Structure formats: C-alpha cells, structure tokens
Amino acid sequence: MTALGVGVVGCGVISEIYLSNAALFPQIELRAVADLNSDAARAKAEAHGVPAMTPAELMARDDIDIVLNLTIPAAHVEVGLAALEAGKHVYSEKPLAGSTADARRLVEAAEARGLRIGCAPDTFLGGAHQSARALLDAGRIGTPTAGTATLMLAGHERWHPNPDFYYAGPGAGPLFDMGPYYITAMVAMLGPVRRVSALAARGRDRRIIATGPRAGQSVPVETPTHVTGMLEFADGALVQIVTSFDVKAHGHAPLELYGTEGSLVIPDPNRFDGTVRLYGEDWQDQPTTHAHGDGNYRGLGLAEMATAIQAGTPHRASGALALHVLDVIETLLASAESGQAIDLKTTCERPAAMRPGGTIGDISAAEAA
C-alpha cells in the first residue's frame, strides 16, 4: 500500500503528538506543516524534517492527499472547506465545527466532491475500547439496557494558565470540552442516539486562575459548568451522562454498560489504554485483545481513514459520526434550556469493530470493511 501524503495545518500544542506518531503508521506520510504563525510552523518543520509553508501553499501541493486540520475550533470550518475546495481529504481535531449547522456544511461539501471527512476523537479505536466492544458484541453482558458516562472535574483553572476559553459562552463548558470523547465511545458501542433530555447549572459566576503569570485573576463564567442528561439510544438503551467542572472528587468509573446478563466497566475514553472489567458471576479484569492499547496513539483514526480511502471502504472516525456527536451535545444543552426531551436531527452508522490482535501501525484493509 502506498502511503497517502499528509499536510498539517495548525502547529499548536496538540500537533506534537500527531507529528510524532505519524511515523508509526505506514499508511500515511508527513509531507508539510503550515500555520499562520510562521515561527510555529518553522519550529515543527525543523523538528520533524518536513518543509514549513503557509496554509494556501500547503493546499496547493499535489503530494498532499489529506489535510490534518489542527487549528483552533473556530477555524475548523474555514480550513476544512478550503482543503476540500483544493481537492484534499480532511481529518480534523474535535469538534468538527462549532455547531451542527457548520459541521453539516463540511460533511455535505465532502460528499459533493467525493472526498472524505474524518474527525477526532479516535480513542474509541484503541485497544481498551475495542476489547470492550468485542465483549459486548460477543454477548457477554447480554442485551445492553443502560449505562453511565461520567466526567466530573473541579475545573481547568487549577492547572491551565489561560482557562478563559473553557468558560466563555457557546461552545465552552465541560460538555463541549470533553463530551465528544464520552459520547463517541458510547455511540461506537451502542449506535446512534434517538432522543435526549438534560438539566444544567452554573456553579459559580467567576473562576480564579491558580497557576501561571495570571494566578489570582478571575475569569467570568458564561456557560453551564454542570450538565446532567439522559441519552436514549435507537436500540433502546438508556445512558446517563454527567459532565462537570464543579466536582472536586467522585468515585464513578468513566464509562459503564449494563446488560441483561452482566456489566462492563470501560476505561477513560480520552485514552487508548486501560483495564476493562466484566461482571458475570463476579468482577474480572479482562485482557486487552486489540492493538493500540498501550500508549497514546492519536492519529490512529487518520491512518485508518487513509487505509479506508485506498480500500474504498467506510472509515470509522467519520464526519457523520462527528456530526451526530455534536448534535447530541447541542441537543442536550437545548433540552436543559427548554426543559423538554428533544429528538435528534441526525443519525449515523455504528462504526465497524476493529479486528483483534495485530501490531502497532497495522491496519489492514479488512479492518476497514
């Protein structure tokens, strides 16, 4: 299989793990980096042995097949549309866009041009979550009936020197920040969501920065910081979700699934690794049966998309999946505001399972079927 050429637009903090991991995946080849900040692009280019250029120059290159969009969320649509217009496939950091309306523009533009849109998170493709998926598909908990998804923190101002974004109105807050990991993981397990209901609150009007040169300064809070909701899946399962920046400590697992014959505890969906626990007669730790479960493999979804492009098969971390997850997030917040349960406007296919075994970077065409 010939590697597809990848050009990175956006050389911020998140770019380093993608740039470093590119060498793990023979399906892709890093060929250029770009950023509006030429110094940032030049630093990453020198570190990884590729040329630095402007975004427009990168998109004009014939050897770039996929644009990896690592810009700030507010620029995801503009950069994505420009890449599609240039005839490139696009893989984006989450969220796909700031709204489902904008995300739909990207998905529809790609479909109209016969190009692919992919989007993080890709952690659900990792060894831990695929091992849990295999147990679920094998009927080890029977028919799934319910579950929980729990992300509760005390707030990013404890460690982030500039946490303003996390509290600054639409597109901010714990649900937009971390919800994509938890909701994507559950959709990958159970399929699409049919209806949601939610309540939301704002614990404080201001947050105090605890570290860095702005320590002691306060940040206004303009968005809900505690959202609790219910996801009704198309297959009938009911999953409770809580995302919060108002909780100092708790004892809940990140993800749990309950079925007619047993239960699963599933590791942190912001990671590729972790221990899956299964309850049948009692709790038992389960082996990791799939590759990419022993480290941080961000970029796995990009490599899997490259494999699927060449095989002519659907890719897993798809634009349709990202659009649906974004719709779930927006609809939860709309439900909290209206006090009503609301049906989803989108749906998606449940991503196909990865095959067990394999080695790091090994993503066969059969897996993408």
Side-chain angles (χ1 to χ4, degrees), residues 44-107:
K44 293 299 182 184
E46 291 174 358
H48 295 278
V50 295
M53 56 194 64
T54 68
E57 289 170 340
L58 183 148
M59 292 179 194
R61 286 183 54 149
D62 292 336
D63 64 343
I64 300 297
D65 302 295
I66 304 172
V67 169
L68 174 55
N69 185 359
L70 303 181
T71 58
I72 61 173
H76 283 182
V77 174
E78 179 183 358
V79 172
L81 288 175
L84 293 170
E85 187 67 29
K88 315 300 185 187
H89 306 286
V90 176
Y91 188 91
S92 176
E93 247 304 319
K94 61 89 183 168
L96 185 56
S99 69
T100 55
D102 281 342
R104 195 185 301 275
R105 289 172 58 204
L106 278 174
V107 172

Side-chain angles (χ1 to χ4, degrees), residues 139 229 318:
S318 68

Side-chain angles (χ1 to χ4, degrees), residues 9-75:
V9 178
C11 294
V13 174
I14 193 64
S15 68
E16 183 58 34
I17 188 64
Y18 281 96
L19 294 168
S20 298
N21 281 354
L24 299 175
F25 301 108
Q27 301 85 356
I28 57 175
E29 182 177 287
L30 180 64
R31 292 182 179 160
V33 297
D35 197 288
L36 293 177
N37 180 339
S38 59
D39 291 338
R42 191 159 42 248
K44 293 299 182 184
E46 291 174 358
H48 295 278
V50 295
M53 56 194 64
T54 68
E57 289 170 340
L58 183 148
M59 292 179 194
R61 286 183 54 149
D62 292 336
D63 64 343
I64 300 297
D65 302 295
I66 304 172
V67 169
L68 174 55
N69 185 359
L70 303 181
T71 58
I72 61 173

Side-chain angles (χ1 to χ4, degrees), residues 18 30 37 54 57 68 81 96 138-139 148 158 166 170 181 196 210-211 217 221 228 237 267 320 328 333 368:
Y18 281 96
L30 180 64
N37 180 339
T54 68
E57 289 170 340
L68 174 55
L81 288 175
L96 185 56
T148 59
R158 295 173 303 153
Y166 295 106
Y181 295 100
V196 305
T211 188
Q217 293 183 20
V221 179
T228 181
V328 172
L333 292 171

Side-chain angles (χ1 to χ4, degrees), residues 239-288:
V239 172
Q240 302 168 64
I241 182 168
V242 182
T243 63
S244 182
F245 288 160
D246 293 327
V247 176
K248 286 191 174 182
H250 67 88
H252 300 284
L255 298 171
E256 298 187 6
L257 280 179
Y258 317 124
T260 54
E261 305 298 328
S263 299
L264 277 174
V265 171
I266 304 167
D268 185 349
N270 192 21
R271 299 177 62 93
F272 293 80
D273 57 3
T275 300
V276 178
R277 305 190 71 211
L278 172 68
Y279 185 90
E281 298 294 332
D282 57 13
W283 287 108
Q284 297 286 339
D285 291 352
Q286 300 298 301
T288 299

